Amino acid sequence: MKRRHITSAISQTFGKFASKEFPHWFQNIVNRSYVGLMGLDMSEFHSPETYKSLNALFTRHLKEPRHYSLNAADFISPCDSLISECGTLISDYALQIKGMRYKTDEFLGQNFSDEEKKSIHDGDFINFYLSPKDYHRYHIPTNMKVLKAVHIPGKFYPVNVPSLKKRLNLFIENERVVLQCETMEGKTFYMVLVSALNVGVMKVSFEPRIQTDADVVGEQVYEFKDLYLDKGDDFGCFEMGSTIVIISEKGMFEDIVVKAGDKVKFGETVATLK
């Protein structure tokens, strides 16, 4: 039997601790300590003592819905995050971070055809890094159709900026869920959820069969016929911080209005569609 990478063992151990519901007095200490240590802004959420586990705190929901542009051309951020990198692909090369590039053909895995992979060559990309203090849920960035989801097992290396600078092809090595999407105008883009250390679980609400950080061998493919999702819909969460990469076909975006180093929140317009 193939041995799992040490990063998986660490993530599973932390996941068990985070999921455990301790006695209220102790859980309150754990939650408040985490909020203070990481500097969480809880102004849009319930108070820390209301969450029965650390994982419940990680995956907290907003108390009130956020407002975002209803203009169909406005493509919104799917999460609260740092833009670690963004720009235009050179053929199938995208930037992991400045000076470190990787091939999107490898990033998407083995279950997309050469034609499907070529559809995004010379297109655009935006990397959204969620730190441990960020709101961990993710949302739909534009009215769209989901064609396919592919779960690719892998490692759980940290995805913070120092790690991105040190490890070539980190995005390709880490476990990920690749969503093949289509805008209402028929343009193709991929939204990729990338795991990280202590982020064993990436939940996808519209496909509960996807079980990340599990004993899965090989890529798992899920195809959909008429799965339409609306801008702003909550479709899952990371259990801790991680990264979402959006890669679009050439000409899908009129303009990307963010740059590397920007902090964005879910609902903020990050690009405009043609």
Side-chain angles (χ1 to χ4, degrees):
M1 183 176 177
K2 186 179 179 181
R3 293 182 63 188
R4 305 203 73 201
H5 194 265
I6 184 63
T7 55
S8 176
I10 293 170
S11 292
Q12 285 190 336
T13 300
F14 181 80
K16 289 178 182 178
F17 170 78
S19 297
K20 185 173 177 59
E21 295 184 8
F22 294 102
H24 179 73
W25 68 268
F26 184 70
Q27 191 66 60
N28 191 26
I29 292 173
V30 171
N31 291 357
R32 287 198 170 278
S33 296
Y34 183 81
V35 168
L37 181 66
M38 293 298 176
L40 271 65
D41 179 358
M42 297 294 291
S43 60
E44 294 182 275
F45 308 96
H46 295 289
S47 58
E49 64 269 15
T50 62
Y51 299 97
K52 294 184 177 181
S53 68
L54 193 55
N55 187 49
L57 175 63
F58 293 155
T59 59
R60 62 196 181 276
H61 291 263
L62 294 161
K63 283 197 297 185
E64 300 292 337
R66 283 208 189 137
H67 297 291
Y68 50 85
S69 172
L70 298 179
N71 186 328
D74 288 338
F75 191 94
I76 64 173
S77 173
C79 54
D80 289 11
S81 59
L82 170 75
I83 304 297
S84 56
E85 195 54 80
C86 63
T88 300
L89 279 72
I90 300 174
S91 184
D92 69 327
Y93 280 99
L95 286 178
Q96 179 172 287
I97 202 164
K98 187 175 181 180
M100 299 278 275
R101 64 179 190 169
Y102 65 94
K103 292 175 71 69
T104 57
D105 285 2
E106 296 177 17
F107 186 50
L108 297 183
Q110 303 170 2
N111 281 283
F112 293 98
S113 67
D114 290 343
E115 184 177 352
E116 288 173 317
K117 291 176 179 179
K118 285 180 181 177
S119 71
I120 57 170
H121 287 192
D122 299 310
D124 297 301
F125 70 95
I126 310 175
N127 301 344
F128 301 85
Y129 165 64
L130 295 81
S131 76
K133 71 178 182 180
D134 284 321
Y135 167 58
H136 295 159
R137 306 199 68 82
Y138 29 78
H139 298 254
I140 299 300
T142 187
N143 296 331
M144 68 185 207
K145 182 179 183 180
V146 181
L147 305 177
K148 184 161 50 176
V150 179
H151 171 212
I152 306 174
K155 298 171 184 175
F156 296 86
Y157 291 121
V159 293
N160 53 32
V161 172
S163 297
L164 293 176
K165 288 180 177 178
K166 288 189 292 187
R167 185 173 292 277
L168 184 66
N169 287 334
L170 189 156
F171 284 170
I172 293 172
E173 290 192 58
N174 273 17
E175 182 161 11
R176 55 203 184 277
V177 176
V178 182
L179 305 179
Q180 184 186 36
C181 310
E182 194 175 83
T183 68
M184 293 297 95
E185 292 72 33
K187 300 289 187 180
T188 298
F189 71 98
Y190 292 85
M191 185 156 46
V192 187
L193 312 175
V194 183
S195 72
L197 189 67
N198 294 333
V199 188
V201 178
M202 299 178 284
K203 292 185 176 178
V204 180
S205 59
F206 59 78
E207 186 43 86
R209 290 178 295 172
I210 295 175
Q211 297 292 317
T212 60
D213 196 15
D215 294 322
V216 175
V217 178
E219 299 185 8
Q220 306 295 310
V221 182
Y222 307 88
E223 295 185 332
F224 309 99
K225 186 176 181 181
D226 293 304
L227 179 55
Y228 292 91
L229 297 171
D230 294 331
K231 182 195 290 188
D233 284 353
D234 180 331
F235 75 98
C237 60
F238 290 120
E239 295 187 356
M240 201 64 168
S242 198
T243 289
I244 296 175
V245 179
I246 289 177
I247 309 173
S248 71
E249 70 171 77
K250 184 179 181 179
M252 187 179 104
F253 290 132
E254 179 74 38
D255 188 26
I256 294 177
V257 298
V258 291
K259 63 184 184 302
D262 285 352
K263 286 285 292 182
V264 297
K265 288 201 167 191
F266 150 61
E268 191 174 325
T269 297
V270 295
T272 54
L273 299 170
K274 280 191 176 178

